[in-house]
Amino acid sequence: MNRHVPPPLTTINVNGKQAVVASAPYKRLSGVLRDELGLAGTKVGCDAGDCGACTVLVDGAPVCACLTAVGQVNGCEITTVEGLASDGSLSRLQDAFLQFGAAQCGICTPGMLMSAAALLASSAVPDRAAVEDALGGVLCRCTGYAKIVDAVLFAAGSNSVLPVDASERAVGKALRRVDGVPKVDGQERFGADAIPAGALMAKIIRSPHHRAAFQLGDIDGFVASHPGIVAVMTARDIPGVNLHGVIPQFADQPVFAETETRYRGEAVAMIVGEQDAIADLHIEDFPVSWEQLPHALGCADAMAADAPLLHGTRAGNVMVEGLVCKGDAPGALNEAAHVVERSFSTPFIEHAYIEPEAGWAVRDDDTITIHASTQAPHMDRDAMAAIMDLPVEQVRIVPTACGGGFGSKLDISMQPYIAIAAWQLKRPCGIVYTRQESMRSSTKRHPSEIRLKAGCDADGRITGFDFKGYFNTGAYASWGPTVANRVPVHASGPFHISDYRAHSLAIHTHCPPSGAFRGFGVPQSAIAQECVFDELADAAGIDRLEFRLIN
């Protein structure tokens, strides 16, 4: 095959305008729309046809653009979210999304709109079941399914109730989001949507093992043998401290591991290159050797006497403990009329925001500007100032739209990598995590092992409560201290308990870091508390709701 022969051209009609595409026929339609035609309203969440964020219409039918090769749609009519409005005015469907508050973070909104548009074009007045079925291929993690369905029904004329009264702006009245229009017309810009043309791109090399020693090989040779690759960066390229953490006194996570990785997915190096070179890069030949080391994945294993210590100053791999005591819980339980004791466990839970981590950085003389999908720009700035060895006034964080975060995007993720590359190479640098990379490297909800013993008197009054919980905080602290200290406070729920003891421990393991996730440990303890209270109510012969009311 002659690699110098240009690929055949593909002609498509996009939003009523003809476009001749230079990309190879096998390229994903989602990438061609976004990167070649500049239609960033089509979002990419998974590149696997799972999330539906990339839904567009091909000859009127909804398809996942990430699973469609551009050569498959040669000569077809393509409609993206940017094509729904006409003459500068939003369509009735887009306006309904605003009226009903159907667009929340907005990352799934284009896919929802396109799927709904296909339905309304084929069914004049669909019922609720038809709308739900039509939208079933598009995931929302915020979640706003009810409002989305209501908006589609209203646009179809099936629902005449309007929640927003534009003539009255008062407390208690639903109002349009001030940032709503860009979310429904495709102009909202998330982390991957505005990386400058000509920017370098970064790819992270991550550990394939739970714990491993590693050695880097001939980096210069790797760069020289890969056209378009500009540099490989490691811990030695960090200007300041190779450390970050959301709680400064617990900061323990390196940007790049230096000699040993502590979890599967930890970064050891970064490849920086031209966009095409990074897109086509296969990292199997990257010069790194691994030596797998003993590891502990569960709390009990990590607390064993012979378990490897993840951090030398944290004996027994106990990061922190939380304790709340009131009265005499053991004594009250001995005298209780009814006692229930149970054990519970909950697993890791992935945040699964539709938008993977993404952003770009630009150096301007002595200032680094980081555009990132983040929930915590001020914390990002402080952490990045230390990593970059710069005064905080020389670090700018510009938050892009955040396509879901739920706590995980409170932590630093891609920000140091793009900042270091842009600073050292003096060119803009972007990064977009794959779905797999996001899941391997991001924080999770803390797994828990909980033992709870609670008692009540003959009338159903709670007379004793004794809680012990072990929380797997993974390799690094993240929000583990907050979780461990909130759990004992909230383990009782909203109930009056005179004799109470709650003890929690956050344990380091060779797992991805556990962090903030919608409740900071409270859902895990609530599961235990509510189940035990149900059984106490049953033992006392009291209605379960009444049991809660009298307490």
Side-chain angles (χ1 to χ4, degrees):
M1 176 180 177
N2 187 342
R3 297 184 180 275
H4 298 290
V5 175
L9 297 177
T10 301
T11 301
I12 54 179
N13 192 309
V14 182
N15 299 330
K17 297 179 180 179
Q18 190 177 81
V20 178
V21 175
S23 297
Y26 60 80
K27 292 292 187 179
R28 299 176 192 262
L29 177 59
S30 54
V32 171
L33 290 171
R34 291 172 54 82
D35 302 332
E36 188 170 340
L37 302 183
L39 297 172
T42 300
K43 306 306 178 188
V44 176
C46 66
D47 260 346
D50 292 328
C51 71
C54 66
T55 300
V56 299
L57 305 186
V58 176
D59 291 338
V63 303
C64 284
C66 75
L67 296 184
T68 304
V70 69
Q72 291 178 281
V73 296
N74 188 30
C76 294
E77 297 277 344
I78 311 296
T79 306
T80 71
V81 66
E82 291 92 343
L84 290 182
S86 60
D87 300 325
S89 299
L90 297 178
S91 67
R92 177 178 171 85
L93 178 62
Q94 290 169 305
D95 190 69
F97 266 58
L98 291 183
Q99 297 278 13
F100 282 80
Q104 294 190 49
C105 80
I107 194 71
C108 74
T109 302
M112 292 288 185
L113 285 166
M114 301 317 297
S115 295
L119 171 68
L120 298 185
S122 62
S123 177
V125 187
D127 60 16
R128 194 172 196 88
V131 174
E132 291 174 350
D133 183 64
L135 301 181
V138 185
L139 301 181
C140 173
R141 284 287 289 119
C142 287
T143 69
Y145 291 119
K147 292 182 177 181
I148 293 169
V149 173
D150 288 342
V152 177
L153 288 170
F154 178 81
S158 305
N159 181 353
S160 60
V161 178
L162 253 181
V164 173
D165 185 348
S167 65
E168 295 184 41
R169 297 187 175 223
V171 173
K173 297 291 184 180
L175 302 175
R176 290 189 179 205
R177 292 182 65 120
V178 295
D179 61 347
V181 172
K183 294 181 186 295
V184 302
D185 69 3
Q187 299 308 307
E188 184 73 286
R189 291 296 175 257
F190 296 84
D193 291 343
I195 296 172
L200 296 169
M201 296 297 290
K203 180 71 176 176
I204 309 302
I205 301 298
R206 300 183 181 278
S207 171
H209 306 295
H210 296 300
R211 178 180 176 230
F214 69 94
Q215 286 189 333
L216 299 175
D218 184 6
I219 297 297
D220 293 338
F222 176 84
V223 173
S225 64
H226 288 76
I229 299 303
V230 176
V232 170
M233 296 183 173
T234 64
R236 66 187 179 187
D237 297 294
I238 297 173
V241 296
N242 185 24
L243 200 67
H244 63 89
V246 291
I247 302 174
Q249 59 267 42
F250 285 91
D252 57 4
Q253 186 166 356
V255 177
F256 292 110
E258 298 185 17
T259 58
E260 179 183 312
T261 59
R262 295 185 175 100
Y263 72 95
R264 184 175 181 267
E266 184 160 12
V268 300
M270 169 177 61
I271 306 170
V272 185
E274 305 294 345
Q275 295 187 24
D276 289 345
I278 293 294
D280 296 334
L281 181 66
H282 296 283
I283 62 173
E284 291 80 5
D285 61 344
F286 183 80
V288 58
S289 59
W290 305 97
E291 178 191 354
Q292 294 190 59
L293 298 172
H295 59 267
L297 301 182
C299 290
D301 290 341
M303 297 178 72
D306 59 347
L309 280 182
L310 280 90
H311 304 277
T313 59
R314 297 171 186 171
N317 285 317
V318 177
M319 182 188 64
V320 70
E321 298 183 54
L323 179 65
V324 172
C325 288
K326 178 186 178 184
D328 179 12
L333 287 167
N334 287 335
E335 298 177 4
H338 306 284
V339 175
V340 173
E341 183 173 9
R342 295 288 181 266
S343 296
F344 303 86
S345 65
T346 62
F348 281 108
I349 299 177
E350 166 68 24
H351 294 78
Y353 26 77
I354 303 299
E355 180 206 20
E357 293 81 352
W360 73 96
V362 179
R363 178 174 181 173
D364 183 12
D365 294 329
D366 62 353
T367 297
I368 190 73
T369 300
I370 303 166
H371 302 256
S373 177
T374 177
Q375 292 178 263
H378 289 88
M379 290 197 300
D380 288 1
R381 182 194 62 179
D382 294 345
M384 289 306 307
I387 291 168
M388 299 300 296
D389 193 24
L390 291 172
V392 290
E393 59 267 22
Q394 289 173 219
V395 177
R396 294 183 65 232
I397 305 295
V398 182
T400 65
C402 187
F406 320 126
S408 187
K409 290 179 182 175
L410 289 168
D411 285 74
I412 288 285
S413 60
M414 88 321 274
Q415 294 91 328
Y417 307 119
I418 52 178
I420 293 166
W423 185 263
Q424 303 281 21
L425 301 173
K426 299 181 181 180
R427 285 181 59 183
C429 183
I431 195 168
V432 181
Y433 281 14
T434 64
R435 173 57 54 192
Q436 294 86 348
E437 188 175 17
S438 175
M439 293 181 74
R440 286 177 66 187
S441 63
S442 63
T443 61
K444 317 296 177 206
R445 188 187 293 283
H446 283 73
S448 67
E449 300 287 339
I450 293 171
R451 191 268 305 155
L452 174 58
K453 185 177 183 180
C456 68
D457 62 21
D459 297 323
R461 299 272 179 190
I462 300 171
T463 56
F465 187 99
D466 196 359
F467 174 104
K468 184 71 170 285
Y470 297 88
F471 289 78
N472 186 337
T473 202
Y476 299 109
S478 183
W479 290 92
T482 305
V483 168
N485 282 283
R486 283 192 181 183
V487 165
V489 174
H490 293 278
S492 62
F495 302 106
H496 178 76
I497 304 174
S498 295
D499 298 287
Y500 178 88
R501 180 172 67 184
H503 181 204
S504 65
L505 298 93
I507 308 300
H508 280 302
T509 67
H510 293 98
C511 294
S514 297
F517 192 154
R518 286 181 166 175
F520 288 86
V522 178
Q524 296 95 310
S525 59
I527 290 170
Q529 164 241 305
E530 292 290 349
C531 289
V532 166
F533 285 178
D534 278 348
E535 292 197 42
L536 272 180
D538 294 344
I542 299 173
D543 176 79
R544 291 176 173 185
L545 176 58
E546 182 63 22
F547 178 89
R548 287 161 171 80
L549 291 175
I550 65 175
N551 283 289

